[in-house]
Amino acid sequence: MKNIANQDIREFAKSKRVNLWAVAEEMGIWESALSRKLRHELPPAEKEKIISIIQKLSGEES
């Protein structure tokens, strides 16, 4: 089975029922730009930023 980059972010967004297009919108970037970012493993700081956006959009702010 192929290891998908940033699978943790994808699964977290799915578990919180947050679409990646909504995350991209909150970040102020196009959905396609976020998709390209997620193709390669992100640095921990950027992952934390995206996770906090997912939490915010799901109504579960940290």
Side-chain angles (χ1 to χ4, degrees):
M1 186 170 153
K2 187 177 178 184
N3 191 8
I4 299 173
N6 300 300
Q7 187 67 29
D8 53 342
I9 290 175
R10 297 171 198 272
E11 289 177 1
F12 185 65
K14 188 175 183 178
S15 74
K16 297 297 181 186
R17 298 180 183 261
V18 173
N19 293 315
L20 292 178
W21 65 261
V23 175
E25 191 172 87
E26 183 71 21
M27 293 175 73
I29 62 174
W30 292 95
E31 178 183 6
S32 58
L34 178 60
S35 182
R36 283 192 305 273
K37 276 181 175 272
L38 294 177
R39 289 180 190 166
H40 303 284
E41 203 61 36
L42 295 172
E46 194 159 0
K47 278 189 172 194
E48 284 301 317
K49 178 182 173 188
I50 293 172
I51 287 171
S52 73
I53 290 171
I54 293 169
Q55 289 174 326
K56 176 183 173 190
L57 292 173
S58 71
E60 182 190 290
E61 293 196 52
S62 55

